[in-house]
Amino acid sequence: NYPTWLTTVIILLIWTFNKYLLSNKTTYLTLSGIILGIFVLFRPNALILYIPIICFIIYKQKTYPRKTFQSILIYTLVVLLTILPVFIRNYIVSREFFLISCFGGVNAYIGNNPYSTGDSPNIPQINDLCGLDNWSCFNYRYLVAGLGIKQKGTPFSFTEASNFFYQKAIQFWKDQPYKALQLTFKKFLLFWGPHIVSDGKVIQCEIEDTILKYLPGFSLLLCLFLFSLLCLLFKLFPKPSKTELELLWFLVSFAIFYSLSVIPFFVSERYRFPLIPSMALFSSSVLNKLLVNNQLPNIKNKFKITLLLIISVIISHVSIVSYTPNKSRYLYHKALAHVYYADLETAKNTIEEAIKLN
């Protein structure tokens, strides 16, 4: 259920930082740092948001160098102190130093290897590497131990395993830079595209049997976000106040930087839902200004707005990369659910259907 918590945390992060931009008060900056720390505990890659936040602090305090240094120091310490209990707990449990998660290396390798499609959590040649035919976060320690035994004869530590996978991902970029760039571009298009990319559970197949298929998806939000961004860039409504403009660009930078923390690894629908609050708030703010703009009846503006809307619809709903949900995997998980509820006949029929597909 972490999406519910995380959506709340993201809205609070945007609200507290906006209050800081409006008031320049250290209290709101401190609260924002605490909330970013909590966000990072849910999704470690969210630490990348520290970069745009610091840039906004520098911009806000640019005429007061000493105040800038103090604000950056306070924000940095607050974020680190929020993460510290987990860092300590990790050391107590593993006797190793890693900030929050030890999955960074394996996730990097999944999305950066000669066999990667950029949209699947599978590890190629996993049996050759680790002596396992499958893995998950629940049995990751066995993958780490098996990797060490296969590679050097004794079990790896979590840090050694992560470094091993990072090195293999980097080696892929060194050996096949053109293919690596192609793969990264594909991941970019999948992340900012209409497809619902599965990770484990095949979400696209799941929603086809529910009311969710009638609800608006990411494509509509992306369309509104792109359209709003283009209207802002082409100044199709009265210029916002300085503080409004700061918040709007913060929301845009939030979405862009967060996407940059995912695309280098591998793409999945669940990795992009943290964008929803920032994209929705940005779009609603710009669209509101556009709708109340008295200059809207102007023919020239109407033409520009219509053209930008058409461009946004095309970009957000048409993808130049293909993606097909793995229905066989979906049916496999569905069969497991039937087994759990002792409906063995239905489970058997579902598995046979999955086998026919793949």
Side-chain angles (χ1 to χ4, degrees):
N1 293 322
Y2 92 108
T4 308
W5 290 99
L6 196 46
T7 303
T8 307
V9 166
I10 293 167
I11 291 170
L12 287 171
L13 174 62
I14 292 168
W15 179 75
T16 51
F17 195 70
N18 181 43
K19 294 290 280 186
Y20 164 72
L21 292 175
L22 289 169
S23 66
N24 219 8
K25 289 183 179 178
T26 305
T27 307
Y28 289 116
L29 188 66
T30 304
L31 283 172
S32 176
I34 293 169
I35 295 166
L36 178 62
I38 295 169
F39 185 8
V40 169
L41 292 178
F42 279 102
R43 292 237 60 90
N45 56 301
L47 196 57
I48 197 173
L49 295 174
Y50 176 83
I51 297 171
I53 287 173
I54 291 301
C55 289
F56 272 91
I57 292 172
I58 293 169
Y59 167 77
K60 195 70 179 173
Q61 308 282 359
K62 57 182 179 291
T63 53
Y64 308 100
R66 188 174 177 181
K67 178 77 171 174
T68 303
F69 176 76
Q70 289 175 344
S71 297
I72 292 172
L73 184 62
I74 289 168
Y75 198 84
T76 304
L77 289 174
V78 168
V79 172
L80 291 175
L81 286 171
T82 309
I83 298 170
L84 186 62
V86 172
F87 178 77
I88 294 170
R89 185 262 178 197
N90 283 344
Y91 178 75
I92 292 170
V93 171
S94 67
R95 297 300 171 187
E96 293 183 60
F97 291 106
F98 52 87
L99 197 57
I100 298 163
S101 169
C102 56
F103 293 131
V106 71
N107 285 333
Y109 179 63
I110 288 170
N112 297 275
N113 67 74
Y115 309 98
S116 175
T117 58
D119 56 21
S120 169
N122 296 331
I123 300 177
Q125 302 172 313
I126 185 173
N127 198 35
D128 294 337
L129 285 172
C130 314
L132 289 175
D133 60 358
N134 202 357
W135 79 283
S136 72
C137 56
F138 303 109
N139 69 356
Y140 181 67
R141 62 189 183 279
Y142 300 127
L143 180 146
V144 170
L147 181 68
I149 291 167
K150 278 272 190 177
Q151 301 302 320
K152 70 169 188 177
T154 57
F156 269 166
S157 67
F158 288 107
T159 304
E160 286 175 318
S162 189
N163 289 340
F164 173 86
F165 284 121
Y166 270 126
Q167 286 166 11
K168 285 190 75 67
I170 292 167
Q171 194 62 45
F172 167 61
W173 275 86
K174 288 180 179 178
D175 295 342
Q176 303 181 57
Y178 181 68
K179 187 172 182 178
L181 283 170
Q182 279 186 314
L183 181 59
T184 302
F185 185 57
K186 179 187 176 183
K187 288 186 284 185
F188 172 83
L189 293 174
L190 284 171
F191 187 89
W192 290 106
H195 299 295
I196 298 177
V197 180
S198 302
D199 174 10
K201 188 174 185 178
V202 185
I203 305 167
Q204 179 65 61
C205 297
E206 185 73 25
I207 68 173
E208 285 172 2
D209 297 329
T210 71
I211 196 172
L212 291 174
K213 66 182 178 183
Y214 300 111
L215 297 178
F218 185 78
S219 292
L220 177 59
L221 179 60
L222 179 59
C223 176
L224 295 175
F225 181 75
L226 284 173
F227 175 64
S228 301
L229 183 58
L230 290 170
C231 287
L232 180 64
L233 291 172
F234 283 97
K235 301 176 181 178
L236 292 178
F237 51 87
K239 187 178 179 181
S241 67
K242 185 182 176 184
T243 51
E244 285 177 323
L245 206 55
E246 287 172 356
L247 175 61
L248 290 175
W249 284 116
F250 173 67
L251 293 171
V252 171
S253 64
F254 184 106
I256 292 171
F257 272 85
Y258 185 83
S259 73
L260 292 175
S261 75
V262 175
I263 293 167
F265 296 91
F266 68 97
V267 176
S268 169
E269 180 72 6
R270 67 192 178 100
Y271 295 149
R272 71 179 178 186
F273 91 85
L275 297 175
I276 292 171
S278 62
M279 290 172 67
L281 287 167
F282 173 79
S283 303
S284 59
S285 299
V286 173
L287 291 173
N288 177 63
K289 282 195 160 295
L290 193 64
L291 290 170
V292 299
N293 179 12
N294 293 326
Q295 297 174 16
L296 197 57
N298 182 296
I299 297 296
K300 188 178 177 181
N301 274 356
K302 276 187 175 181
F303 175 76
K304 286 181 181 178
I305 288 168
T306 304
L307 182 61
L308 294 179
L309 184 57
I310 292 170
I311 292 169
S312 301
V313 170
I314 293 170
I315 291 173
S316 60
H317 287 78
V318 178
S319 178
I320 61 175
V321 292
S322 60
Y323 172 78
T324 304
N326 189 336
K327 192 163 186 180
S328 179
R329 183 195 291 173
Y330 163 69
L331 292 169
Y332 167 72
H333 285 291
K334 197 172 182 180
L336 291 180
H338 288 305
V339 170
Y340 180 82
Y341 287 105
D343 188 357
L344 300 184
E345 188 60 31
T346 306
K348 175 175 171 287
N349 294 335
T350 307
I351 278 292
E352 286 174 349
E353 191 180 345
I355 290 169
K356 285 178 185 176
L357 291 173
N358 181 1

